[in-house]
Amino acid sequence: PNCQQALVERYRKQRWIVRLDRQRKVISHCLYCPNPECSRHSVIYRPSEEGGLALRGYTFGLDVVVRIGQLRYSEHQSLTKIHQELQGQIGISLKEVALLCEVFLALVNTVVQEDVELVEQLRHNGGIILAIDGIQPEKGNETLYLLRDLISGRVLVARNLASSATAEIEKLIVEVLALGVPIL
């Protein structure tokens, strides 16, 4: 993006992601600028689609996280009942259901402004390449919107919204702009 030189593959990684409808094998090609003079030479560019499927380091997809969050916090189901319901669709342990409940809460309570190291990393990277993903496991339910930085792969804002109206999404973008780091 800076020097207009073609990006080159630095490495590739492979992983399996368990989604509500099926398991998916994901192969990510991570790229960098080979020009040592480029100010973004050290930046690794990751595929945007992978971060929209699952959080880094997690096997279960975001659709699974959102479904568990809806069952637990909107429908007030017990962990055991959620486990039983999902067991028919995907192989998941009760312990994993409990962990993913916590992941859901952590996502919707994301406060990036308090993560000084992340904000510094975003500045060091020269700005934010923003991706917006909406995950809705079932029609008619709220949608979890994730605003992520594609360079770091980190979630900057996550909110459960009943509406995808422009005004609602703009509020999320304003939260990202409040970091004081330019959106590239």
Side-chain angles (χ1 to χ4, degrees):
N2 275 16
C3 70
Q4 306 307 310
Q5 190 160 342
L7 297 174
V8 175
E9 183 176 87
R10 171 144 305 164
Y11 60 90
R12 76 179 63 165
K13 62 181 184 169
Q14 172 180 305
R15 71 179 183 152
W16 285 93
I17 296 174
V18 178
R19 301 192 33 98
L20 288 172
D21 58 350
R22 67 176 194 254
Q23 282 192 354
R24 182 177 286 181
K25 183 179 182 179
V26 177
I27 300 171
S28 300
H29 301 268
C30 301
L31 310 174
Y32 77 104
C33 178
N35 179 2
E37 312 292 308
C38 180
S39 63
R40 301 182 67 78
H41 173 68
S42 63
V43 174
I44 302 291
Y45 295 90
R46 293 171 178 83
S48 63
E49 292 83 6
E50 181 186 7
L53 295 173
L55 296 171
R56 283 170 94 182
Y58 286 86
T59 302
F60 288 93
L62 285 165
D63 61 336
V64 176
V65 173
V66 172
R67 184 68 184 137
I68 288 171
Q70 285 176 336
L71 292 171
R72 182 75 173 141
Y73 302 108
S74 293
E75 298 179 23
H76 310 289
Q77 291 187 13
S78 70
L79 294 178
T80 305
K81 184 150 173 60
I82 295 168
H83 177 249
Q84 289 169 347
E85 181 174 322
L86 290 177
Q87 195 62 23
Q89 283 182 278
I90 58 176
I92 189 168
S93 70
L94 182 60
K95 185 176 179 180
E96 193 71 35
V97 169
L99 171 70
L100 294 177
C101 278
E102 297 300 317
V103 168
F104 178 83
L105 283 179
L107 279 174
V108 296
N109 293 314
T110 301
V111 183
V112 176
Q113 289 90 341
E114 295 174 9
D115 190 340
V116 177
E117 287 181 26
L118 174 58
V119 174
E120 275 309 307
Q121 179 185 4
L122 296 171
R123 283 196 181 101
H124 175 74
N125 291 343
I128 298 167
I129 297 179
L130 190 64
I132 302 174
D133 296 304
I135 299 100
Q136 183 183 36
E138 292 183 349
K139 299 250 187 262
N141 288 317
E142 290 184 333
T143 301
L144 178 65
Y145 281 92
L146 299 178
L147 281 68
R148 298 178 293 114
D149 171 48
L150 291 182
I151 299 170
S152 67
R154 297 283 304 271
V155 174
L156 305 176
V157 174
R159 296 287 178 270
N160 225 9
L161 300 177
S163 166
S164 61
T166 302
E168 296 300 315
I169 305 301
E170 284 175 348
K171 290 176 189 174
L172 302 180
I173 294 172
V174 167
E175 287 187 53
V176 174
L177 290 171
L179 296 173
V181 180
I183 295 176
L184 303 174

